[in-house]
Amino acid sequence: MSGPLDERDSRWINEHQIGVEVRQGRSTDVLGTAVTRVLPTKGRRTVGPWCFVDLIIPPDADDPDPLEIGPHPHIGLHTVTWLFTGEALHSDSLGTEQVIRPGQLNLMTAGRGIAHAELSSPEGVIGAQMWVAQPEATRHGDPGFEHHGVLPIIERSTWRGRVLLGSYGGVTSPARIDSPLVGIDMHLTPGRSLLELDPTWEYGVVPIDTAVKVAEDIVEPGWIGLVERGPHEVPLEAGHGGARVLLVGGEPLGERIQMWWNFVARSKEEMTEAWRAWQAHDTDRFGPVPTKLARLDAPRPPWLSPD
Ligand code: MN
């Protein structure tokens, strides 16, 4: 038997010490494909090194638009592609042509520069497109691409998940990471789960199909529940049908990043240089992409004076 505080009481106290901030995602579109942009969000640019989370969830889930994104460049980031339904062809300036299906991971590393295109089957796709900022140590390095057909599964009594990136509870994804982080596609059983956290990391809980309670706050699908550093665990609560949730987290970046268009950098000068290279068709920096889709023109950086 316990003393004056039983386990339930101490958890109750703990819950009230967990700082959770809830932000709504916003609807936008990426070249005609409807997406919900979860990150960056108002006042919050990163969760660990995660700097961009788009959910490709069409307004009419039975009739998604095909995804057709012509060649465009990236610098300083990894793109993480994870599908729930449908399939898409990734092609890039390394010569890669890779079909991705649900349960598989595409991880592209931009480093100093890469270009790629994405084309879904006509039925469209539902999934997530995410970016991870590369740290100073690797962001000027070589571009790369990895496809992982099988990812490790983590089993807990109240949830199971696929570890897309990083490690959780001793289960480690084979995919490359350049700084401490984790990404998991979780399926919660109905009721309450206690999710263990690294207290030195920050996390984002992104419900996919139905609302989830994160500590004391309801987080709707396409929103993000931000869990700040500090707690060793956070309670998640799913309704009758359970819930699918993306968990992203990591060690805070510790570097101030700048993001514009498809670039992650540390200064406007770096982004201007990448922009000029793309607009000048500089194939040393951004090689040709094996695709029939038309190349995307970059908008003019707003900090430059008009032509
Ligand atoms: Mn891209």
Side-chain angles (χ1 to χ4, degrees):
M1 297 300 289
S2 57
L5 285 178
D6 68 14
E7 198 192 350
R8 194 159 154 252
D9 288 330
S10 64
R11 276 184 193 167
W12 187 85
I13 288 167
N14 186 35
E15 275 176 29
H16 286 262
Q17 294 171 338
I18 298 175
V20 178
E21 277 186 60
V22 179
R23 302 283 164 79
Q24 295 185 24
R26 65 189 170 87
S27 300
T28 178
D29 82 286
V30 176
L31 295 168
T33 299
V35 301
T36 300
R37 184 143 307 151
V38 175
L39 198 71
T41 184
K42 199 169 186 291
R44 185 64 182 250
R45 303 181 64 77
T46 51
V47 174
W50 297 90
C51 58
F52 191 90
V53 176
D54 261 2
L55 299 181
I56 309 162
I57 298 180
D60 179 359
D62 295 327
D63 187 24
D65 294 318
L67 185 71
E68 289 186 3
I69 302 182
H72 60 280
H74 288 288
I75 62 168
L77 59 90
H78 307 277
T79 62
V80 180
T81 307
W82 180 248
L83 301 182
F84 305 137
T85 69
E87 61 179 61
L89 174 67
H90 161 96
S91 29
D92 67 39
S93 51
L94 301 170
T96 311
E97 289 181 89
Q98 176 68 56
V99 172
I100 182 172
R101 299 189 174 88
Q104 306 175 341
L105 179 78
N106 275 0
L107 178 76
M108 186 180 78
T109 299
R112 84 180 79 86
I114 197 167
H116 76 138
E118 285 163 301
L119 176 62
S120 76
S121 52
E123 306 81 59
V125 293
I126 299 177
Q129 174 79 261
M130 300 173 277
W131 296 357
V132 172
Q134 289 182 259
E136 190 58 35
T138 66
R139 72 187 186 96
H140 302 290
D142 289 339
F145 177 80
E146 296 176 10
H147 174 81
H148 296 279
V150 180
L151 292 162
I153 289 176
I154 182 162
E155 299 266 10
R156 288 286 197 262
S157 58
T158 57
W159 63 272
R160 91 199 282 272
R162 277 209 179 77
V163 181
L164 315 185
L165 281 184
S167 292
Y168 188 94
V171 177
T172 302
S173 163
R176 166 179 170 173
I177 55 171
D178 290 6
S179 66
L181 67 92
V182 72
I184 310 180
D185 184 359
M186 300 175 65
H187 292 265
L188 307 176
T189 58
R192 190 177 149 106
S193 303
L194 264 184
L195 186 66
E196 302 140 47
L197 305 177
D198 181 326
T200 66
W201 287 16
E202 49 199 20
Y203 293 88
V205 177
V206 182
I208 301 301
D209 55 356
T210 184
V212 168
K213 203 167 162 193
V214 182
E216 294 298 294
D217 294 289
I218 305 282
V219 185
E220 298 287 344
W223 296 14
I224 188 167
L226 298 161
V227 182
E228 302 306 334
R229 278 178 293 173
H232 291 262
E233 57 189 21
V234 65
L236 302 181
E237 202 175 318
H240 302 305
R244 189 173 193 173
V245 162
L246 276 180
L247 176 75
V248 294
E251 196 173 279
L253 202 53
E255 299 175 48
R256 249 191 123 68
I257 62 167
Q258 297 207 14
M259 285 173 64
W260 174 76
W261 197 47
N262 291 301
F263 304 138
V264 173
R266 302 296 184 273
S267 70
K268 290 190 169 56
E269 290 68 31
E270 287 178 1
M271 294 190 287
T272 303
E273 208 177 288
W275 172 76
R276 284 194 205 288
W278 178 250
Q279 294 304 82
H281 297 235
D282 172 357
T283 50
D284 287 339
R285 186 149 192 196
F286 302 111
V289 180
T291 178
K292 280 181 246 163
L293 294 172
R295 185 183 189 279
L296 301 188
D297 229 18
R300 189 173 175 83
W303 58 86
L304 295 183
S305 52
D307 276 324

